[in-house]
Amino acid sequence: MDTPSGTIIFTTVGRTHYGFDVFSLHIASSVERRLTDGVSVNFNAQFADDNGNDIVFVSERAGSARIFRTRPGNSKPEQLPGAPESFFHDRPIITQDNTLYFISAHEQPDRHFKNWTALYSVNPNSQGKEVTRVTPPDTADFSPTVSKSGKYFAVASYGSRSWGGEFHEINTDIVVFKPSEPEKRVVVCERGGWPTWSGDSTVFFHRQADDGWWSIYQFDIPENLNLSPVEPVRVTPPGLHCFTPAAFHDRKRIAVATRRRGVNHRHIEIFHLEHKTFQAVTEPLNPSFHHYNPFVSANSEFLGYHRFRGESTQGESTVPNLESIVSPIKTLRLLRLNGSFPSSSPDGDLIALNSDFDINGGIKVARSDGSKRWTLIKDRTAFYNSWSPTERHVIYASLGPIFRPAGIAVQIARIQFSPSDLTADREEVPCEVKFLTLDNTGNNAFPSCSPDGKSVVFRSGRSGHKNLYILDAVNGESEGGEGIRRLTEGPWIDTMPCWSPTGDLIGFSSNRHDPSNDAAFGAYVVRPDGSGLRRIEIAGPEGSDEAARERVNHVSFNKDGDWIVFTANLGGITAEPVAIPNQFQPYGDLYVVKLDGTGLRRLTWNGYEDGTPTWHTVDDLGLSGLSLNGQDGDKLEGQFEEPLWITCDI
């Protein structure tokens, strides 16, 4: 088989709860208006006129990030032409000559660990709507901005370097060029992100200062662009975080997103450059919402941003249990799950999942068409599920805290319930929980059941190291050591095992090639008897620099056992992480590859962390089988976190 087929179900950290809409605020009157229509998530906008009504923005309503434009009098936004083969568009701008500029990530670089993003342009009114790459070949650009007259562009550029692995502040420089001569680029300032023009000669940007506070910096563009890079001036004070600036063209003000001590949400404020004072904008209006990425109208009268749309406004108000995502492989379907660690029932009509990893998370069961969901376990921390391939009424799971050391108590549980209790009038289903691992055996997690239903492979920290073991799936282990055997052994981390549906292999992630590095994971397979252990070469051959940098997790086999899906860091960074809600590692894209390491394909493009993928047990759910309307998902409440690495405890 040259291309994989079937359905892959996965999660995206926080994304299902965003509910973003774009708003504008008339600064003089503090009147806020919603400019987008409450469908999907809408973000990263720019004004396309002076009256604060017309915007270009990014929306994920079509299953991937596309560019749309609102027009007064139209009830629905108009989709603008982008790169037809692209599944990621970002930061759109319409210039005075009606050219649309945007960021895309559809052209693959010549090596792994290279950022894919670049600046492109298209004339929406041209007949061919031909897309032109503005960024030079072998170069990665982020966050474009255009000067007031349109004379200059600025971008945060990674240049031609390989991605360094950072994902807090990414190591971009501010580059300026004329749109008529995009190949004549000048690095005007090193180390900066999210540039914004004030007039034609001043650029503001953000960076993390040496004292730890994210701050806004300013520099003036010299008349001779070929001069050496200038030293920027810090304009916002320490004591608060300021990022994603948007400059007014009066050269007196900048709009910024802030995080302050004692304030739990990101808010938009106006910073007055002369008096060094802040003017609160969004906190008096919506104190309990996060506000992101301000933008300013050309006449300086309107300020825009995106935020959770709120529960009282019209638009989508329910988080669907399953959401269809555009796939680059026609034979492969992608579904985003409102939850983590999905596992399918033997006949594929049900999915087990974890809705959260706190004590309220537990285990839920949903129909594969997304139409109904039940609670199986509650008031108990649970993660990672494996449905018995031979028993419709049995699910294996880890009960105990997630992301903890080897000695912390986590147990493998066999959970039995009656599928006949999954009725439309019930929300909770009774179940029996049997622990298969003994007390005081450390951190036992990530169970995966064998195709015959007789054994479970899992990861345990009982030896002081996290290695793999195989357990009796019905009776568990005994005090005498029966019912369990060791599969791998060594002073490294073997984790997240997955038993192939064909039964002959177990896939897992491990840092055994570099045990001192707990961030360097590769994909491995081993036979259930412990023989044939080998690494699947994905980024490069064993011992290469590329192989040493791999972070491959969450391996899952397809039905025939000849492909795996996994998450990896091979594609670098797609969007500035400080500009989006929390992603633990915003390079977690999904990939598929054959077991011999050939056929590698990237499946997802976004600024988020995609994770916990699984191949559905049924080859094809059928596009008509997904219940997109009438799902009983969670109420959309905008519950997501700011980046956990942004702290005010400095």
Side-chain angles (χ1 to χ4, degrees), residues 340-341 354-359 361 381-384 401-403 612:
S340 301
F341 296 117
N354 307 119
S355 59
D356 206 343
F357 299 136
D358 60 17
I359 197 169
T381 305
F383 64 97
Y384 204 89
I402 193 171
F403 306 130
T612 70

Side-chain angles (χ1 to χ4, degrees), residues 113 513-514 517 519-521 535 541 543-550:
F113 307 107
H513 53 282
D514 187 4
N517 186 352
F521 283 87
R535 182 175 180 178
S544 66
D545 291 341
E546 292 79 12
R549 293 191 59 189
E550 278 183 355

